[in-house]
Amino acid sequence: MDFWTVRGGKKLYGSCRIQGSKNASLPILAASVLACGETELDCVPRLRDIDAALRILRHLGCRAEQDGNSLYIDARGLVHSCIPEDLMHEMRSSVIFMGALLARCGEARLSPPGGCRLGKRPIDLHLKALRQLGAEVEERGGEILCRAEKLRGTVIRLPFPSVGATENTMLAASAAEGETVIEGAAREPEIEALQDYLNAMGCRVCGAGTGRIVIEPRGPRGSVRFRIQPDRIAAATLACACAAAGGEIELLDAEPAHFSTVLHFLKEAGCDIITKQCCLTVRSDGRLRAVGTITTEPYPGFPTDAQPVLMAALLRAEGVTRIRETIFENRFRQVPELRKLGAEIRLEGQTAEIRGVAHLTGAELEATDLRGGAAMLVAGLTAEGETRVRDEGHIARGYERFDRVLSALGAEVRRTDS
């Protein structure tokens, strides 16, 4: 159990480097089982979700070691295609190993994944795509078994641009006979990162970043070295923290284009945003204004992962902001906790109406999920007095040493273990 203590009222100043992307790292870790040699990854964040993925790799028989932000994987010794239930339940992204194991071993046996409880997140699209590639999929007793003597390339049309289904399809198709085309693919930057890794490994993949991806398998290379892109949600969280608390921070090694919709609304709220190629500066006096209506959408729309932290930044903004959530049915789980600080938030279905208040007051809160927990820390930066967040490890799943990052920028934040 983690306890985060935040004392509000401090403006943020200084610069910090953005951590490597969690959501880019995890599918690439799964993809590493396809390599016939070694994989070396740079800029991998030290997170609980990364640790969970490494435990899965080791269970499968791979050698997997992390030293700082460098990571080494040797998948030549892979001997298993089954992932135990306890490892699957540690994180949502564990399901990505399904496509990779099917491609490498011809079978994969696993249970439904865990992760944050944000509502229904079925993997039906994953399974349908694998079946279209020629896999036999059986679901029985809480276990999913995929088998395929031979995978065959085909045209797969996704009715919704699911990131996980797109990634699983790309991984399985990398070992299929013939070309695979994914229509209606997810367009997130993390999909482009997976494409770049697969190409470095010897496949021929193109189209990532658009709705149509083409995968043409080729013989894998012996070794791969790859650099993980910066985490756009971590960068968005820090930008929202500065917007709420006030001050001026520089985010180094960031990709502003990857979270431009978040920056758009911060500008609308009154922040000064200065972007350069790989960094940006956020300047705020802490007196924000409401921004009208925000609707979460698949990329390149406003990201659902940034919704809680932007909500937290706007709790004291003058006027009324409405946020419409279209991705996850339980993405507003942070709202009851933010209300304990004095926030005025009204929920009606999948829409939250935030009416800015003059003051927030510190309180005892409980983190509900990864991004909701981060939102409580952002809100605590603007609250009078002390805010204490009880956390079962959600925040450390996605933010590397977040207490040290915020403290280095001038915030009063302390994290302790029970």
Side-chain angles (χ1 to χ4, degrees):
M1 183 68 67
D2 292 336
F3 291 92
W4 300 75
T5 304
V6 183
R7 181 166 292 278
K10 298 288 187 180
K11 293 184 182 293
L12 305 184
Y13 291 98
S15 63
C16 66
R17 295 192 178 277
I18 300 302
Q19 67 184 55
S21 170
K22 174 180 84 83
N23 291 338
S25 298
L26 294 174
I28 289 172
L29 290 180
S32 71
V33 307
L34 301 172
C36 63
E38 302 162 307
T39 291
E40 294 182 53
L41 301 176
D42 297 321
C43 299
V44 181
R46 296 196 67 92
L47 305 171
R48 290 186 177 177
D49 273 9
I50 298 296
D51 290 341
L54 295 181
R55 284 194 291 274
I56 289 175
L57 286 169
R58 293 179 190 123
H59 168 81
L60 296 173
C62 305
R63 181 181 170 191
E65 302 170 356
Q66 186 167 15
D67 182 9
N69 295 119
S70 298
L71 200 148
Y72 169 85
I73 304 162
D74 185 347
R76 288 173 292 186
L78 185 141
V79 292
H80 299 296
S81 60
C82 175
I83 303 176
E85 183 177 6
D86 59 333
L87 292 178
M88 285 295 299
H89 283 186
E90 288 193 41
M91 64 172 182
R92 175 69 185 176
S93 296
S94 56
V95 73
I96 300 303
F97 281 90
M98 181 164 53
L101 287 172
L102 187 62
R104 169 76 184 265
C105 306
E107 68 173 22
R109 187 188 298 267
L110 45 95
S111 59
C116 295
R117 297 182 294 275
L118 301 177
K120 296 178 181 178
R121 294 197 278 180
I123 60 172
D124 297 5
L125 296 182
H126 303 234
L127 303 183
K128 182 179 179 181
L130 295 180
R131 287 187 175 106
Q132 288 179 268
L133 288 169
E136 295 180 2
V137 181
E138 184 179 356
E139 299 177 73
R140 60 184 181 187
E143 186 177 66
I144 302 170
L145 176 61
C146 301
R147 287 195 182 97
E149 289 187 10
K150 182 180 291 186
L151 295 169
R152 293 181 175 84
T154 187
V155 176
I156 295 174
R157 294 179 174 86
L158 297 178
F160 177 82
S162 162
V163 174
T166 300
E167 293 168 340
N168 248 331
T169 304
M170 291 171 68
L171 293 175
S174 68
E177 185 179 279
E179 180 182 272
T180 297
V181 179
I182 307 174
E183 301 280 4
R187 299 166 60 186
E188 274 75 0
E190 295 80 18
I191 302 292
E192 295 186 64
L194 180 58
Q195 170 183 273
D196 292 344
Y197 175 80
L198 290 174
N199 284 337
M201 200 173 62
C203 295
R204 183 177 179 182
V205 186
C206 62
T210 75
R212 186 177 189 270
I213 299 175
V214 180
I215 305 102
E216 181 182 335
R218 292 190 177 182
R221 295 177 184 170
S223 298
V224 180
R225 182 155 192 172
F226 192 82
R227 181 181 178 89
I228 299 297
Q229 66 191 31
D231 194 307
R232 61 192 173 101
I233 304 301
T237 300
L238 288 167
C240 287
C242 182
E248 181 176 338
I249 64 172
E250 184 180 27
L251 303 180
L252 306 175
D253 292 338
E255 291 287 351
H258 288 177
F259 59 108
S260 59
T261 51
V262 180
L263 299 177
H264 165 77
F265 284 110
L266 292 179
K267 288 181 183 178
E268 290 287 308
C271 297
D272 292 327
I273 308 290
I274 304 168
T275 61
K276 297 180 182 178
Q277 186 174 3
C278 293
C279 68
L280 75 152
T281 299
V282 180
R283 186 184 300 125
S284 170
D285 60 9
R287 296 189 294 273
L288 304 180
R289 55 179 178 266
V291 297
T293 300
I294 302 167
T295 301
T296 63
E297 296 175 317
Y299 192 87
F302 187 88
T304 182
D305 279 358
Q307 176 260 105
V309 293
L310 183 59
M311 173 186 285
L314 295 172
L315 295 179
R316 295 172 56 244
E318 182 179 354
V320 177
T321 297
R322 291 175 180 84
I323 300 179
R324 181 170 170 261
E325 174 61 50
T326 70
I327 307 299
F328 293 129
E329 60 183 343
N330 290 338
R331 183 57 103 176
F332 290 136
R333 296 181 69 217
Q334 75 276 7
V335 169
E337 300 301 303
L338 296 178
R339 285 173 177 158
K340 294 176 183 178
L341 300 173
E344 289 191 19
I345 308 171
R346 184 171 67 89
L347 291 179
E348 185 173 336
Q350 291 300 103
T351 300
E353 181 180 275
I354 303 101
R355 187 175 298 275
V357 297
H359 303 284
L360 297 173
T361 304
E364 296 278 336
L365 309 179
E366 183 166 1
T368 53
D369 55 78
L370 168 56
R371 307 304 175 186
M376 293 170 206
L377 298 184
V378 170
L381 294 174
T382 73
E384 297 175 358
E386 187 174 275
T387 297
R388 196 163 186 257
V389 181
R390 183 175 179 267
D391 176 25
E392 294 181 351
H394 295 296
I395 298 171
R397 285 183 45 233
Y399 295 93
E400 183 178 22
R401 299 178 175 179
F402 201 39
D403 54 331
R404 298 186 187 183
V405 172
L406 290 172
S407 295
L409 294 173
E412 286 192 37
V413 180
R414 186 175 72 256
R415 173 186 169 195
T416 56
D417 299 324
S418 62

